[in-house]
């Protein structure tokens, strides 16, 4: 990893602060980069026109006692990685061959989208309880690296 990786991980950390998730430990940010240029960003939050958990004053997943890493469909939020890919599609920006920097290891749903979008490298900061996503990345030949600030 190099100074550019550190910069883009820091950018993902900044983007995560925009999250509308009520659970502070789950503020997630993503930045898609190609040739040292930021293509798009994303953070976890409710879809356009849908009230977020912050606006509702409660987290549906907490209310239903859903364990982390399971039942992703039972959440008002769209994941940061998904939002970054959706933003690229909406704006007509190709992410083929890009790197995705994110605060947390992508879940299996995000992994599938990342693979199909043609993103070739993922750099994440914090782990996430989803071993199957890592298996899919490996099968698809996507390079996945955990960022370690101590190495910088």
């Amino acid at each position: 990893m190099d100074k550019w990786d550190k910069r883009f991980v820091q950018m993902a950390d900044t983007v995560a602060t925009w999250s509308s998730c009520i659970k502070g430990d789950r503020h997630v940010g993503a930045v898609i980069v190609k040739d040292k240029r930021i293509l798009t960003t994303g953070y976890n939050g409710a879809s356009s026109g849908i009230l977020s958990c912050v606006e509702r004053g409660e987290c549906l997943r907490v209310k239903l006692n859903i364990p982390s890493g399971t039942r992703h469909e039972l959440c008002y939020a769209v994941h940061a990685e998904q939002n970054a890919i959706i933003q690229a599609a909406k704006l007509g920006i190709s992410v083929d061959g890009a790197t995705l920097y994110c605060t947390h290891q992508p879940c299996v749903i995000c992994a599938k989208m990342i693979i199909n979008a043609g993103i070739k490298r993922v750099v994440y900061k914090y782990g996430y309880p989803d071993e199957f996503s890592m298996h899919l990345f490996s099968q698809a030949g996507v390079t996945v690296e955990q960022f370690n600030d101590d190495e910088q």
Side-chain angles (χ1 to χ4, degrees):
M1 301 227 187
D2 62 17
K3 69 179 180 179
W4 286 101
D5 289 325
K6 183 174 182 171
R7 289 173 180 168
F8 293 128
V9 167
Q10 288 172 334
M11 176 61 82
D13 279 335
T14 297
V15 172
T17 67
W18 307 337
S19 170
S20 61
C21 182
I22 208 163
K23 294 169 65 179
D25 65 331
R26 286 294 175 218
H27 287 192
V28 180
V31 179
I32 300 177
V33 174
K34 190 169 184 179
D35 299 325
K36 299 180 185 172
R37 302 279 184 242
I38 295 172
L39 302 176
T40 62
T41 63
Y43 57 90
N44 58 326
S47 297
S48 298
I50 306 294
L51 291 177
S52 71
C53 292
V54 168
E55 294 165 322
R56 292 172 190 277
E58 68 178 359
C59 172
L60 178 64
R61 295 180 60 78
V62 169
K63 182 178 176 181
L64 298 176
N65 199 28
I66 299 170
S68 183
T70 67
R71 305 293 314 267
H72 300 285
E73 73 280 6
L74 292 176
C75 182
Y76 291 108
V78 177
H79 288 189
E81 303 93 324
Q82 295 170 13
N83 272 326
I85 292 168
I86 291 165
Q87 183 183 37
K90 189 174 181 178
L91 299 174
I93 298 170
S94 172
V95 296
D96 193 40
T99 296
L100 185 141
Y101 294 88
C102 47
T103 55
H104 294 71
Q105 172 196 320
C107 73
V108 67
I109 296 168
C110 291
K112 292 173 184 179
M113 292 179 69
I114 289 164
I115 291 163
N116 279 357
I119 293 168
K120 297 299 179 195
R121 181 174 176 241
V122 173
V123 178
Y124 69 92
K125 193 170 180 181
Y126 304 110
Y128 185 72
D130 195 331
E131 292 179 26
F132 191 55
S133 68
M134 300 302 271
H135 173 71
L136 292 179
F137 282 136
S138 176
Q139 260 192 318
V142 174
T143 301
V144 180
E145 302 170 54
Q146 185 167 15
F147 179 79
N148 183 347
D149 204 22
D150 294 337
E151 294 175 2
Q152 303 306 310

